[in-house]
């Protein structure tokens, strides 16, 4: 009984064989004999070649043919990237050459600093750009030597400053008779071979463009009696330093390599006012440029002669001057400013040839303070050259002022004429212009009569 009840509730009863009569049964009469639909097989789907267009076949179909589209290494080859390969190769070469040239220059700068630093530290109280520091246990006396002796290409920043990949400099101060010293090292542009080749090529055709060379240049600035204005009063020992008289007479004197003598005379005004004369005491490849023979006799000491001979043709010039490098254009440019210049070619690796000359160059300031006080006749001769330059500048200045005054008078005269014309009517203006024209004609006729 219970089973029959559950069967009736959950659809267990059999459907009736007789259809339920309905008023709408006539509407579905056309579908009564239609067969039941059945799913189509995959073999009935046409392949990609059967389509007239380029539409792709369904993914995963067994009839889709295998193509190279799905593998990049089969679609492309290395031949298609020849241009990119050439560009990448050129860039790689440029980067390697640049890094190699830069490392070579830094290595040479480090060896240069290693060679001159003992001399600088022996002569000056402060060397480099790091300032004066209190010594510590870690920073012993040999700390700098250890840093320079290491194989690292990193430069000691407190000693050397890298201005560019080819320019390096150092600085020293704290010495009697010397305000400070600037030392510059200029190397070849090894990091840019094309630029280096172009500079060499241009130097063959133009004399104004010298061939690239590696040189070290030192510029020494003596106190010249100006300790009170240069040295701060609060520094230890400044009072004793200010009592010393470090001045010496004005003059220009130089020892110059004959290969660079003409170029130096053309480029520098101070050297151009000297006379050139060979000395039997010096090698035949150098000459002396001086304003007086007495100055040469004083400065050409045995120590200097030996240092010049030891340096050989590495020496380019040693100049003692009080005049500007460029031609003075104003009276302010003629004020004496004493300096000492030393220029040498960079040795291939052994700096022992130029170190004696460099040491004497620093101590030359002491020689000048002690001995460079000449007879009045020599002083008058040197002063006469400077007075002539001053007179020429004064004449040029007076001519410029006279020209300015003449232009100002012309301007005022023209302004007065324009004001006079504005206050006249047309008839009076015409009469005024006619009189002005007659005056100009009479002036021109008078000039022609005077010339005749």
């Amino acid at each position: 009984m219970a089973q029959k009840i559950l069967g009736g509730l959950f659809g267990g009863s059999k459907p009736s064989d007789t259809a339920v009569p309905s008023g709408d049964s006539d509407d579905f009469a056309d579908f009564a004999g239609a067969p039941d639909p059945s799913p189509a097989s995959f073999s009935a789907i046409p392949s990609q070649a059967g389509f007239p267009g380029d539409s792709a076949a369904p993914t995963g179909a067994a009839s889709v043919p295998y193509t190279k589209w799905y593998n990049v290494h089969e679609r492309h080859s290395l031949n298609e990237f020849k241009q990119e390969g050439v560009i990448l190769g050129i860039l790689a070469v440029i980067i390697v050459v640049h890094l190699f040239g830069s490392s070579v220059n830094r290595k040479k700068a480090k060896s240069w600093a290693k060679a001159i630093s003992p001399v600088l530290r022996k002569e000056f109280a402060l060397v480099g750009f790091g300032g004066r520091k209190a010594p510590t246990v870690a920073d012993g006396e040999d700390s700098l030597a250890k840093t320079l002796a290491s194989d690292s290409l990193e430069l000691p920043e407190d000693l050397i400053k890298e201005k560019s990949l080819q320019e390096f400099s150092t600085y020293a101060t704290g010495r009697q008779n010397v305000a400070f010293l600037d030392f510059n090292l200029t190397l070849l542009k090894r990091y840019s071979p094309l630029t280096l080749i172009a500079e060499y090529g241009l130097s063959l055709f133009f004399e104004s463009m010298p061939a690239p060379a590696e040189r070290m240049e030192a510029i020494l600035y003596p106190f010249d009696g100006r300790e009170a204005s240069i040295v701060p009063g609060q520094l230890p020992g400044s009072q004793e330093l200010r009592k010393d008289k470090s001045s010496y007479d004005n003059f220009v004197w130089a020892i110059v390599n004959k290969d660079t003598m003409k170029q130096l005379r053309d480029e520098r005004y101070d050297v151009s006012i000297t006379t050139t004369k060979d000395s039997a005491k010096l090698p035949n490849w150098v000459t002396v440029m001086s304003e007086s023979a007495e100055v040469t006799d004083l400065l050409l000491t045995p120590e200097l002669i030996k240092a010049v001979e030891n340096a050989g043709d590495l020496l380019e010039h040693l100049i003692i001057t009080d005049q500007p490098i460029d031609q003075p254009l104003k009276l302010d440019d003629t004020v004496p400013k004493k300096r000492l210049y030393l220029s040498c070619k960079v040795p291939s690796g052994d700096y022992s040839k130029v170190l004696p000359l460099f040491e004497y160059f620093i101590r030359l300031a002491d020689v000048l303070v002690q001995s460079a006080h000449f007879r009045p006749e020599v002083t008058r001769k040197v002063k006469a050259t400077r007075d002539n330059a001053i007179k020429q500048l004064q004449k040029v200045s007076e001519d410029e002022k006279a020209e300015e005054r003449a232009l100002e008078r012309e301007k005022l005269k023209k302004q007065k004429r324009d004001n006079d014309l504005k206050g006249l009517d047309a008839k009076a203006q015409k009469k005024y212009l006619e009189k002005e024209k007659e005056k100009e004609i009479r002036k021109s006729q008078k000039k022609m009569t005077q010339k005749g």
Side-chain angles (χ1 to χ4, degrees):
M1 185 70 176
Q3 187 177 2
K4 289 182 179 181
I5 295 172
L6 290 174
L9 290 174
F10 295 100
S13 60
K14 295 181 180 180
S16 174
D17 295 337
T18 59
V20 179
S22 173
D24 297 332
S25 58
D26 296 337
D27 297 334
F28 296 95
D30 296 334
F31 300 97
D36 294 333
S38 61
S41 65
F42 286 105
S43 60
I45 300 175
S47 64
Q48 185 178 3
F51 287 99
D54 295 334
S55 57
T59 304
S63 60
V64 176
Y66 172 78
T67 63
K68 297 181 180 180
W69 177 258
Y70 301 99
N71 292 322
V72 176
H73 66 280
E74 294 184 4
R75 274 189 290 141
H76 301 284
S77 64
L78 292 177
N79 294 331
E80 301 177 20
F81 302 96
K82 287 183 178 179
Q83 186 175 359
E84 289 80 358
V86 171
I87 294 173
L88 290 176
I90 294 173
L91 288 176
V93 171
I94 292 174
I95 292 172
V96 170
V97 171
H98 179 85
L99 295 176
F100 176 76
S102 302
S103 64
V104 171
N105 280 358
R106 290 194 179 99
K107 188 176 181 180
K108 290 181 74 72
K110 193 172 181 180
S111 62
W112 163 72
K114 182 180 178 181
I116 67 168
S117 61
V119 178
L120 292 176
R121 293 191 178 276
K122 183 173 65 174
E123 295 289 340
F124 294 91
L126 189 148
V127 179
F129 305 94
R132 193 172 181 84
K133 301 177 182 178
T136 60
V137 177
D139 299 329
E141 293 182 357
D142 59 342
S143 60
L144 177 64
K146 290 180 180 179
T147 303
L148 293 172
S150 64
D151 295 333
S152 175
L153 293 178
E154 292 192 10
L155 303 175
E157 296 181 357
D158 58 338
L159 179 63
I160 314 172
K161 180 182 289 185
E162 182 179 330
K163 293 183 177 179
S164 65
L165 294 176
Q166 67 168 132
E167 295 182 11
F168 303 85
S169 65
T170 189
Y171 167 87
T173 187
R175 188 188 188 279
Q176 188 179 17
N177 301 324
V178 178
F180 54 91
L181 172 74
D182 286 333
F183 212 120
N184 300 312
L185 178 69
T186 305
L187 303 176
L188 295 176
K189 296 180 180 178
R190 293 181 175 85
Y191 55 89
S192 180
L194 294 179
T195 304
L196 193 61
I197 293 171
E199 290 178 353
Y200 272 116
L202 292 174
S203 65
L204 298 175
F205 301 99
F206 302 98
E207 293 184 358
S208 59
M209 297 187 65
E214 294 185 326
R215 61 173 50 89
M216 45 187 183
E217 298 174 308
I219 307 174
L220 187 146
Y221 299 85
F223 276 120
D224 192 25
R226 294 176 294 132
E227 287 87 347
S229 60
I230 296 176
V231 181
Q234 66 271 18
L235 289 181
S238 59
Q239 299 300 327
E240 292 79 2
L241 186 62
R242 293 181 179 188
K243 294 177 182 178
D244 297 334
K245 295 182 179 179
S246 60
S247 61
Y248 58 91
D249 292 344
N250 298 326
F251 64 92
V252 178
W253 185 84
I255 294 179
V256 182
N257 193 319
K258 290 182 179 179
D259 294 338
T260 61
M261 180 180 63
K262 183 179 181 301
Q263 178 186 352
L264 200 67
R265 186 177 285 276
D266 294 340
E267 292 179 351
R268 296 184 63 124
Y269 164 78
D270 52 358
V271 176
S272 66
I273 64 176
T274 62
T275 56
T276 304
K277 187 176 181 181
D278 291 344
S279 176
K281 300 178 182 179
L282 291 170
N284 56 3
W285 48 267
V286 293
T287 187
V288 176
M289 306 177 78
S290 176
E291 292 186 277
S292 173
E294 186 170 329
V295 177
T296 302
D297 295 338
L298 172 68
L299 297 178
L300 212 55
T301 60
E303 292 83 1
L304 178 58
I305 295 171
K306 185 178 179 180
V308 170
E309 290 176 349
N310 192 25
D313 57 356
L314 294 175
L315 171 64
E316 290 187 333
H317 60 256
L318 169 63
I319 302 174
I320 304 170
T321 181
D322 68 313
Q323 294 297 294
I325 295 177
D326 300 325
Q327 176 80 29
L329 302 176
K330 300 178 182 179
L331 291 175
D332 295 338
D333 298 338
T334 60
V335 177
K337 297 177 182 177
K338 294 174 182 174
R339 304 169 313 280
L340 281 72
Y341 294 88
L342 175 65
S343 177
C344 296
K345 296 177 183 176
V346 178
S348 58
D350 185 13
Y351 288 85
S352 60
K353 292 183 178 180
V354 296
L355 283 180
L357 182 60
F358 178 55
E359 291 182 13
Y360 187 84
F361 170 75
I362 297 174
R363 296 169 185 168
L364 190 56
D366 303 332
V367 177
L368 295 173
V369 172
Q370 294 173 3
S371 307
H373 305 282
F374 305 103
R375 294 181 298 111
E377 293 81 0
V378 178
T379 306
R380 281 197 296 268
K381 181 182 178 181
V382 172
K383 189 173 181 296
T385 305
R386 287 145 180 77
D387 291 342
N388 290 334
I390 292 173
K391 287 178 181 178
Q392 291 178 1
L393 290 175
Q394 287 176 342
K395 184 180 179 182
V396 171
S397 178
E398 290 174 359
D399 292 343
E400 290 178 353
K401 290 180 180 179
E403 186 177 353
E404 290 177 0
R405 288 194 295 267
L407 290 173
E408 189 66 24
R409 286 195 298 268
E410 279 296 321
K411 186 178 179 181
L412 293 173
K413 186 177 179 181
K414 185 180 179 182
Q415 187 176 0
K416 183 178 179 299
R417 172 182 173 276
D418 294 340
N419 293 334
D420 293 342
L421 285 173
K422 287 179 181 178
L424 301 175
D425 56 6
K427 188 175 181 181
Q429 286 181 357
K430 184 177 180 182
K431 189 176 181 181
Y432 183 92
L433 293 173
E434 288 177 354
K435 287 183 178 181
E436 193 178 57
K437 189 176 181 180
E438 289 176 0
K439 286 182 181 180
E440 291 178 358
I441 292 172
R442 283 197 298 269
K443 283 183 180 180
S444 61
Q445 289 176 352
K446 188 176 181 181
K447 289 181 180 179
M448 291 177 65
T449 304
Q450 289 176 354
K451 288 181 180 179

